[in-house]
Amino acid sequence: MDFDDTPDEAAWRAEVRAFLTAHRDEHAADPRAWQALLYDAGFVGVTWPADAGGRGGTPMQQAIVDQETARLGLPALINLIGIGMCGPTVIVHGSDDQKRRYLKRLLRADDLWCQLFSEPAAGSDLAALRTRAVRDGNGGWRVTGQKVWTTLAHLADYGILLTRTNADVPKHRGLTMFVVDMKAPGVTVRPLRQMNGESHFNEVFFDDVAIPDTERLGEPGQGWTVALTTLMNERLSLGGGGTGVGAKPETVARHVAERIGGLSPDRQVLARQQLGRGYVAALGARYTGYRQLSRISHGELPGPEASAGKLSGTRSARDLADLAVRVLGEDAAVAGGTWQNLQAVLPGMAIAGGSDQVLRNIIGERVLGLPAEPRVDKGAPA
Ligand SMILES: Cc1cc2nc3c(=O)[nH]c(=O)nc-3n(C[C@H](O)[C@H](O)[C@H](O)COP(=O)(O)OP(=O)(O)OC[C@H]3O[C@@H](n4cnc5c(N)ncnc54)[C@H](O)[C@@H]3O)c2cc1C
């Protein structure tokens, strides 16, 4: 593990820190304008090639932007899913025309994007999806089906949409990916309410929606390969480079230290134990992130240890948020605010982008070399 910035990295960090510090108060007014401001300054799409609207920089430069953003407590960019997943998929599989029309606008948040993969009966087993795309006889496609848990669909202008175009071949081979216009006739978005009262994700219904063939990403039947590009980028962007999810463990420790005197002696012991466990797991995730960054800094790709970082990061963030609420004692029922919001939001992090159980399978099989889980339906049609 290498904690030191190279001279170039240190100069870049200073530039990023100075800009973010000078403009930090501007983020709250309009999330789209905030992203455009950062894009115009060269801090969005750092690793994207210049002809895709990016800066052509290094993953380490992007990681430094992420770290400095987290250090100042600034929120994630509004078009996070577009930048992390949809855009990289268009870069690899899109036509020149699609790249020209979509990518720069995506980076500036002129258009917002969403990822339309999960369905009521296809989440971890994504290849089982049923949304059908059929040829319309005039060179285009018609799409009918339902997606669910689609983050940002209620605001999105475009989405990447994984569909089934052949139900007679093994399920991974009958898929095709498209860019879909979220304002097209036949697209209905219904917000879902989360347990903190907010609505960030949605059900999306497609009722005979027309999609031109020029909006296909990759060849018909190659949708799984295209989706793997998206999912690999999702895991990389969730890795977070050691910035972590939830509250910083040091912040939780301070909060607990200030209130622990109000607990009974037995509960004080329990609270200390829980703080210790959560703190150690959070540091485990943080150093796994740093190890990943060291590999990136030396020009290597992060390995499957990204799964371990996400697993222990979300576990410890949940434990620490539970503890922070518990030490509020009687105030907890009316406290609302940051801690209870975290307690309500973090369980979703243990599901999104690969559930804890699925990540454990990956660690078991690809890191520890254990025998593979039985997959009886592998190779069968959906
Ligand atoms: C906050 C949030 C945002 C999301 N945003 C999006 C989005 O923008 N776009 C999108 O397409 N999707 C999105 N999702 C959906 C997400 O990708 C799925 O929820 C996830 O893939 C799990 O699928 P599922 O919900 O169908 O659960 P299931 O796959 O049905 O899993 C149910 C349970 O079974 C376990 N399980 C499943 N398979 C295995 C296995 N092989 N071995 C052991 N255990 C297993 C799971 O761990 C889980 O506990 C989002 C989800 C959340 C929580």
Side-chain angles (χ1 to χ4, degrees), residues 302-315:
E305 71 272 8
S307 299
K310 187 195 170 235
L311 191 61
S312 61
T314 47
R315 180 73 262 162

Side-chain angles (χ1 to χ4, degrees), residues 81 85 113-126 147-153 160 194 200-202 231 234-235 345-361 365 373-375:
I81 291 177
M85 298 157 221
W113 284 65
C114 64
Q115 176 195 3
L116 298 145
F117 283 19
S118 304
E119 297 185 3
S124 304
D125 185 13
L126 179 61
K147 299 289 173 177
V148 72
W149 318 127
T150 317
T151 304
L152 221 70
I160 52 171
Q194 296 141 221
H200 294 302
F201 53 31
N202 307 268
L231 297 174
E234 178 170 26
R235 214 140 284 163
V345 164
L346 287 169
M349 287 299 295
I351 301 171
S355 70
D356 282 2
Q357 289 77 9
V358 167
L359 294 183
R360 285 197 187 98
N361 283 349
E365 292 174 24
E373 291 287 311
R375 293 188 175 89

Side-chain angles (χ1 to χ4, degrees), residues 278-309:
Y279 203 96
V280 168
L283 291 188
R286 187 182 292 175
Y287 287 110
T288 305
Y290 288 156
R291 208 160 43 219
Q292 224 173 297
L293 278 186
S294 299
R295 288 178 70 151
I296 290 173
S297 176
H298 297 140
E300 297 165 36
L301 278 177
E305 71 272 8
S307 299

Side-chain angles (χ1 to χ4, degrees), residues 31-274:
R32 284 188 176 212
W34 171 245
Q35 184 172 323
L37 178 80
L38 295 185
Y39 175 77
D40 293 341
F43 301 145
V44 182
V46 173
T47 57
W48 288 26
D51 63 4
R55 189 188 173 98
T58 65
M60 198 59 206
Q61 286 178 316
Q62 179 62 59
I64 287 172
V65 173
D66 296 343
Q67 286 180 340
E68 292 302 315
T69 303
R71 205 183 64 86
L72 289 173
L74 293 167
L77 296 176
I78 178 140
N79 220 4
L80 191 69
I81 291 177
I83 298 167
M85 298 157 221
C86 307
T89 309
V90 173
I91 290 176
V92 176
H93 300 284
S95 65
D96 289 344
D97 180 50
Q98 285 172 316
K99 292 180 198 175
R100 210 170 20 251
R101 279 187 287 126
Y102 293 135
L103 293 174
K104 184 174 172 193
R105 290 181 59 82
L106 182 159
L107 287 177
R108 289 191 88 248
D110 296 332
D111 299 323
L112 299 184
W113 284 65
C114 64
Q115 176 195 3
L116 298 145
F117 283 19
S118 304
E119 297 185 3
S124 304
D125 185 13
L126 179 61
L129 64 85
R130 292 183 196 155
T131 293
R132 292 287 299 264
V134 292
R135 300 231 184 229
D136 67 2
N138 293 316
W141 300 80
R142 292 271 172 182
V143 175
T144 298
Q146 185 197 341
K147 299 289 173 177
V148 72
W149 318 127
T150 317
T151 304
L152 221 70
H154 55 302
L155 300 176
D157 301 285
Y158 297 99
I160 52 171
L161 171 65
L162 192 57
T163 65
R164 178 159 309 285
T165 43
N166 188 342
D168 300 325
V169 293
K171 57 183 176 175
H172 291 86
R173 298 209 203 121
L175 304 173
T176 304
M177 186 85 84
F178 296 93
V179 174
V180 63
D181 177 352
M182 292 298 287
K183 311 287 190 246
V187 179
T188 307
V189 178
R190 274 203 221 140
L192 292 163
R193 223 160 119 92
Q194 296 141 221
M195 65 173 146
N196 66 351
E198 295 174 0
S199 288
H200 294 302
F201 53 31
N202 307 268
E203 294 179 297
V204 182
F205 298 86
F206 295 92
D207 183 11
D208 202 27
V209 174
I211 302 186
D213 194 48
T214 47
E215 294 305 337
R216 187 163 37 76
L217 288 174
E219 294 303 313
Q222 293 294 309
W224 187 249
T225 308
V226 182
L228 288 181
T229 305
T230 317
L231 297 174
M232 195 185 77
N233 279 284
E234 178 170 26
R235 214 140 284 163
L236 281 179
S237 69
L238 286 173
T243 51
V245 290
K248 287 198 179 114
E250 292 80 3
T251 312
V252 179
R254 217 171 295 123
H255 167 88
V256 171
E258 283 163 11
R259 288 167 183 80
I260 199 166
L263 301 182
S264 69
D266 282 357
R267 292 183 65 210
Q268 286 191 22
V269 172
L270 279 177
R272 283 201 187 90
Q273 284 174 347
Q274 201 176 346

Side-chain angles (χ1 to χ4, degrees), residues 361-377:
N361 283 349
I362 292 172
I363 293 166
E365 292 174 24
R366 299 214 211 127
V367 181
L368 302 176
L370 298 174
E373 291 287 311
R375 293 188 175 89
V376 288
D377 57 346

